[in-house]
Amino acid sequence: MLGVGLVVRFSVDWEVGVGSWCGRFLSRLVGEVLEGVGVRVPHGAEVKPFSISPIFDVNGRVVGRLVPGNAYWFRVSFMCNMVDCGRVVNAFVRDSYALSSGGVVRVFGVEVSELRLNSNTGGRAVVNWGVRFWPTVFTFRSRYVAWPSPARFLSSAARSLVSLIHGSSIVLSKDGGKLSGVINGVDVKDFIKDLVFNTEVVGFRVRRLRVDLGGGRVMPAFRGVAEYVTYTDNVNLFNALLDVAEFLGVGKNRALGLGFIKILHRDVKPLA
């Protein structure tokens, strides 16, 4: 098991005017629940062991205010090589979370899922795939990339895959400050270079926005849908990248609720 995902359905006893991006409230909640069972995540850690979604209402809309009596949900995903996933599940599967602010979050359902990846090599294929993005931003050489770049999407997914499998079948090395690795005899860096060359955006409908992260920090981002087509010599490893992207999100500030995505479809046409 590489990762555990939890969908938490909850309500609150007091009105919460989030004020800024709802992911900040949620990140504090997740951090305090973890600390309650002795799992401390350093605030300045370069790689956080979890990623979160925004807070949604029952209609799937991102919220900016929590109202007593209304139902909400969020998803949090953990890398099991960085935290004890058994302790994490026990921390979240309970009736309520008591916050340091004095508020109590009432939990009325937790759904647990596991991330497991197919290790088969796979063959050649053309894949048509679509993605729905909630507020997301990529970075490239210290610049923000606020559109559904296939290069940034695939690179982000690859870094997450490397982090997930670290310590088992992957060897990590540093190359120009970037993580690279080998999975089942495939060099991830070379594989991503080939994927980027053989992937095109065939359509997208996105809206650019600015996300208020609080404390005067504003992040450019985009949201919407994009359609891609990819040729690959290793369709199973490519599918693993999409699975990891959907599980952990993509881009920057995923521990603050940015980069949450859903794979809308993946239509695989095997090639002889």
Side-chain angles (χ1 to χ4, degrees):
M1 179 173 61
L2 297 175
V4 164
L6 304 123
V7 173
V8 180
R9 305 188 186 279
F10 71 99
S11 62
V12 293
D13 291 342
W14 80 111
E15 184 166 324
V16 181
V18 178
S20 59
W21 173 241
C22 62
R24 287 184 59 85
F25 170 83
L26 201 51
S27 187
R28 288 195 298 270
L29 183 153
V30 170
E32 290 190 12
V33 172
L34 291 177
E35 288 180 4
V37 293
V39 179
R40 192 174 187 282
V41 180
H43 178 70
E46 181 179 354
V47 178
K48 297 285 179 43
F50 66 88
S51 63
I52 59 176
S53 72
I55 302 174
F56 296 100
D57 64 16
V58 294
N59 296 313
R61 295 174 298 207
V62 177
V63 304
R65 185 168 64 108
L66 304 179
V67 178
N70 287 0
Y72 305 98
W73 67 272
F74 67 90
R75 192 187 74 186
V76 55
S77 302
F78 294 93
M79 300 185 196
C80 293
N81 65 330
M82 296 180 68
V83 296
D84 183 337
C85 281
R87 291 173 68 191
V88 163
V89 171
N90 289 336
F92 281 88
V93 180
R94 56 183 61 190
D95 294 333
S96 64
Y97 311 140
L99 305 181
S100 60
S101 61
V104 176
V105 172
R106 305 294 177 184
V107 179
F108 55 86
V110 180
E111 302 165 19
V112 182
S113 60
E114 298 179 0
L115 176 67
R116 298 180 185 273
L117 300 177
N118 190 331
S119 61
N120 295 333
T121 301
R124 296 191 305 146
V126 173
V127 185
N128 291 280
W129 49 291
V131 183
R132 178 174 296 280
F133 296 87
W134 280 267
T136 298
V137 61
F138 300 111
T139 57
F140 179 67
R141 298 190 180 277
S142 301
R143 299 293 298 272
Y144 294 122
V145 179
W147 79 285
S149 161
R152 304 280 64 82
F153 182 103
L154 295 167
S155 296
S156 177
R159 288 183 64 86
S160 295
L161 182 61
V162 166
S163 297
L164 274 170
I165 306 180
H166 178 214
S168 55
S169 61
I170 197 163
V171 178
L172 288 178
S173 63
K174 286 283 186 179
D175 184 359
K178 297 181 180 180
L179 287 171
S180 60
V182 177
I183 301 176
N184 297 326
V186 178
D187 183 280
V188 175
K189 185 176 179 181
D190 290 342
F191 181 67
I192 293 302
K193 281 184 177 180
D194 187 65
L195 278 185
V196 169
F197 183 77
N198 287 290
T199 297
E200 291 287 351
V201 181
V202 294
F204 62 91
R205 300 188 309 278
V206 300
R207 180 171 65 90
R208 294 190 178 185
L209 61 152
R210 296 177 69 80
V211 179
D212 180 5
L213 296 180
R217 187 182 178 197
V218 178
M219 182 75 65
F222 71 94
R223 65 178 301 168
V225 296
E227 294 284 332
Y228 306 89
V229 61
T230 296
Y231 165 80
T232 177
D233 286 326
N234 189 331
V235 68
N236 282 342
L237 186 53
F238 174 71
N239 276 326
L241 286 175
L242 295 189
D243 289 342
V244 167
E246 188 168 47
F247 187 79
L248 288 173
V250 293
K252 189 174 177 61
N253 286 329
R254 286 174 281 167
L256 287 176
L258 295 180
F260 182 68
I261 70 162
K262 179 177 177 57
I263 304 297
L264 298 175
H265 66 87
R266 60 179 98 177
D267 307 316
V268 179
K269 180 181 178 182
L271 301 175

